[in-house]
Structures are given as structure tokens and as C-alpha cells.
Amino acid sequence: MSDFNRIKQLYLTFSHEMREHFDEKKPILRESIEAIRLRYWYEGLKQRTSLHTAYELERHFEKESFQRNSNGTIRHYRSKWSRYEQSIHTPKSKTLKRVELLAPGSTREIDHPLWRILKLTDPGEIDAEMILRTLSFDVQEIIFVCSFSGLSSYSNRKPITQRVLDQLERRASLDCLTCLICLLLEASSQKRAVLSTKIALTVHNVILMMGIELYARKVALPLLDILIERILPLGVMPHLKMWMISSDYIHASAHLNLMVYQTKRGNKRVLSWPQRAKLMYRLIHGYMGLDVQYAMAPQFELNDKVGDIPEELINKFNKASSLRNWAWDSIVEGRSEPMPPAELFV
């Protein structure tokens, strides 16, 4: 559950960290998938337990690791959770099972199929069928259709239509993101350019929704860097190239999540993630005004390595840029303008 003030505080913290990073000119460090998945698990446990330190988490999940004196005071403890906090040591299965008893579903987070997909170096290596069948039931229900043969049942893949992509987007979760990445890798390896572009747009929308929550888990920047470098370009048209960076996605995500609480359905309420995701879907797709739709559209730059770009495509690019600038001006200034000025459509 989340409210306006929580999202606002996350965004303020992010903005402060970005200013410090810029002022101190800190180097950008690449993080491994192993480090990202461990931190996602560790920070998730902090959120669920409302505990703040490695010491508190170790006492909560592994009391037996604390050796005590005869008077009951703590004499020694292993301090292994501090290594989890630093993402330098992965918990063994015994620890994961113990944690799972108190935090059901936590093992799934550290062993999620997403981490396995992101370790692939060649899109052609992916076994889409196998990955998709490991996802949550609600996602499989979207992707597969069940049929019967006598007393037996079996399931086959549905065609990937816009309706299927919309259903995944409305559910925006780690499993939905994994599904979309899997479908994009598959479509790209099959040279299905039009489908790849549609899936990539849906991936873009989902990470816009999830960005601020990924930041709350302290994995947003390194994870988004990977998606921007290796996944999203698979669905970019040849005359364009990625312009947005990971911090752009978190910035947009914070605004999108905050706008949820300014709608009639979200005003002054504490909302669950599924409730927020459905409202963000409506915002992104213009159901509550075209200003948000244009602001949240992916931002590209022209690819100067493809030779001459047709004038029609250049005009379309310039028009999209103008509409996006108008939309962000409206949002930043606090104006609600459902329709852009007529001259922007000329």
C-alpha cells in the first residue's frame, strides 16, 4: 500500500541523490545481475518487516545465529546479513527457507526468472516457452489458452495481439515485465520488427509505472541501465535511437505515480499496487487527458548512422518532440491541459 506522501518522499530523496552525484562527479559503476537480485531481495525484506539494519534483520530471521552470555546479553553473532546488505554474499538455500517461513514469496524474488533472462548474452538463446511457464498464474492466464483432449488438458500460446499487451501492461509487475522482455527477445530473434516495436512500447510503459518502486528497492538505476542498453533498443525503429537514460525514467515514474493521487479515484487515498497500476494505465493512454499521454511517450533522437531519413519521418519526430515539450511544461507548472494547442498538430 502507498500514499501520495510516500511517493513524494521517494522522489525528493532521489532528486537529492542525483544532485549529490552530479556535484561530486561520482563515477558510474556497473553492477552485476547477481548484485541487483540480491539487493532487490534484501530491500524487499526491509520493506515487509519495517526493519532498517542488517543487525535487526538477522535478529528477526535468524535468532539462533546470536550467541548469548549467561545473563542473556549478546556475546557474538555472525554478522552475515551485513554482507547481504552490501550485495557481496548470496544467501544459501537453508537461509532462504528460513526467511521464507516468515516472509512468504521472498525466495521467489531472489530466484525470479527476470534475473535469468537478463544474464543471457544472445536473444536467440532464450527458451520463451520454458520461461513463460515459470511466471505467475495471472500472467500465464493472459499468455496461454487452455484446451482439452478427452480427460486431459493442455495449454498453447495465444497470438501476441495489442489486447494481450494491454492486459500485461495493466497488471504491471515483475512477472509482467519478465513476460514482455521474453516476448521482445523472441520477436527480435524472429525478425518481427512491427511486433518488436509494439512490445518495446509496452515495456517502456511498464517500467515507467514501476520505476519509483524499483528505486525504493535500490535497484532502479542499474536495472534500468541494462534494459535501456540491451532490451528496449530491440524495438526501436531504424531511424531512431534511445535518448532516455535511467534517471529520466525515475523522474517520469515519480510524476506518473504522484498524478495517480490527483485523480478522482486516487485522491486522498492509500492505494494498493494493482489499483495504482490500473490508474497509471489510464493516464498513460490519455483517458484523463492527452498531456500525460504525450509526456510519458518514449523519447528518442534521430539516428545519424542510417543515411538519409525521409522528410515524413523527420516531421513526425519533430511533432512528437513539440507535443512532449508542451506536455511536460503543463505537468511541471501544475496546469491540467487535456488537449494541446491546435498549432502543434499542424
Side-chain angles (χ1 to χ4, degrees):
M1 305 293 282
S2 187
D3 61 8
F4 179 91
N5 288 330
R6 174 179 173 271
I7 303 300
K8 180 181 177 182
Q9 189 55 51
L10 283 171
Y11 184 48
L12 290 174
T13 303
F14 167 72
S15 299
H16 176 71
E17 288 180 357
M18 288 296 99
R19 283 193 296 272
E20 279 195 334
H21 182 91
F22 180 78
D23 291 341
E24 297 177 16
K25 298 181 180 179
K26 294 179 180 178
I28 298 175
L29 301 176
R30 287 281 181 175
E31 289 194 282
S32 67
I33 301 299
E34 190 65 25
I36 294 171
R37 78 181 186 110
L38 180 53
R39 188 177 305 113
Y40 186 86
W41 170 81
Y42 179 86
E43 293 297 328
L45 293 175
K46 285 176 61 178
Q47 286 186 12
R48 293 175 67 165
T49 59
S50 298
L51 300 175
H52 304 291
T53 66
Y55 173 81
E56 291 174 327
L57 287 169
E58 190 160 355
R59 285 195 65 179
H60 180 74
F61 289 112
E62 297 190 278
K63 295 178 181 179
E64 67 283 355
S65 69
F66 288 77
Q67 299 177 14
R68 297 180 179 273
N69 297 312
S70 57
N71 62 0
T73 59
I74 296 173
R75 174 165 53 90
H76 172 75
Y77 70 100
R78 298 176 187 173
S79 191
K80 67 179 181 180
W81 281 71
S82 63
R83 295 190 289 276
Y84 301 157
E85 181 181 30
Q86 298 168 46
S87 303
I88 59 177
H89 182 72
T90 302
K92 296 181 180 179
S93 59
K94 182 180 178 181
T95 300
L96 292 176
K97 289 177 182 178
R98 187 177 290 120
V99 172
E100 183 73 18
L101 293 174
L102 296 177
S106 57
T107 303
R108 168 74 171 175
E109 294 196 338
I110 198 170
D111 290 334
H112 200 277
L114 176 63
W115 317 128
R116 191 158 64 251
I117 286 181
L118 294 180
K119 288 180 179 179
L120 295 176
T121 56
D122 179 5
E125 295 176 1
I126 190 167
D127 185 343
E129 190 79 8
M130 183 272 290
I131 294 292
L132 293 174
R133 291 188 183 277
T134 65
L135 300 179
S136 59
F137 175 75
D138 63 317
V139 173
Q140 289 196 49
E141 198 172 29
I142 297 171
I143 297 298
F144 294 100
V145 59
C146 184
S147 302
F148 289 87
S149 175
L151 299 177
S152 302
S153 64
Y154 61 95
S155 58
N156 287 322
R157 294 266 300 274
K158 293 180 183 177
I160 305 304
T161 62
Q162 189 59 53
R163 182 171 182 271
V164 167
L165 296 177
D166 288 343
Q167 288 178 312
L168 291 168
E169 185 178 330
R170 280 194 292 269
R171 284 163 176 77
S173 65
L174 208 63
D175 280 79
C176 288
L177 178 60
T178 304
C179 178
L180 288 165
I181 292 173
C182 184
L183 295 176
L184 180 53
L185 290 170
E186 182 183 58
S188 176
S189 67
Q190 296 171 351
K191 310 298 182 184
R192 301 175 68 183
V194 174
L195 179 59
S196 295
T197 301
K198 291 180 179 179
I199 299 172
L201 177 59
T202 309
V203 173
H204 163 85
N205 291 344
V206 168
I207 60 179
L208 274 182
M209 296 181 192
M210 294 172 58
I212 198 67
E213 292 299 337
L214 293 173
Y215 172 74
R217 293 285 188 107
K218 299 185 179 180
V219 299
L221 292 174
L223 179 56
L224 291 174
D225 281 343
I226 292 171
L227 298 181
I228 290 167
E229 180 181 327
R230 292 170 39 198
I231 303 300
L232 288 170
L234 298 175
V236 175
M237 290 184 285
H239 71 286
L240 300 172
K241 59 182 179 180
M242 294 294 299
W243 184 89
M244 295 177 72
I245 59 176
S246 53
S247 56
D248 295 327
Y249 272 99
I250 302 173
H251 170 79
S253 178
H255 279 82
L256 179 61
N257 277 268
L258 287 170
M259 282 188 280
V260 164
Y261 297 97
Q262 297 168 350
T263 65
K264 290 182 179 179
R265 295 183 185 181
N267 188 31
K268 297 180 181 179
R269 293 182 61 194
V270 176
L271 301 174
S272 66
W273 175 254
Q275 290 172 319
R276 285 162 60 194
K278 288 177 182 177
L279 287 171
M280 284 188 280
Y281 174 87
R282 293 179 61 81
L283 283 165
I284 286 175
H285 288 274
Y287 288 100
M288 302 179 189
L290 295 181
D291 48 356
V292 182
Q293 181 180 19
Y294 287 127
M296 298 300 154
Q299 190 167 356
F300 304 105
E301 59 181 330
L302 292 172
N303 186 355
D304 54 6
K305 296 181 180 180
V306 297
D308 292 333
I309 301 174
E311 185 177 353
E312 179 185 357
L313 294 178
I314 294 176
N315 291 337
K316 186 176 180 180
F317 170 83
N318 291 333
K319 179 179 175 181
S321 298
S322 298
L323 286 167
R324 183 173 52 256
N325 292 336
W326 160 79
W328 271 111
D329 286 344
S330 299
I331 290 171
V332 171
E333 294 171 12
R335 303 193 314 267
S336 178
E337 296 191 30
M339 290 294 293
E343 59 266 22
L344 294 181
F345 287 107
V346 177

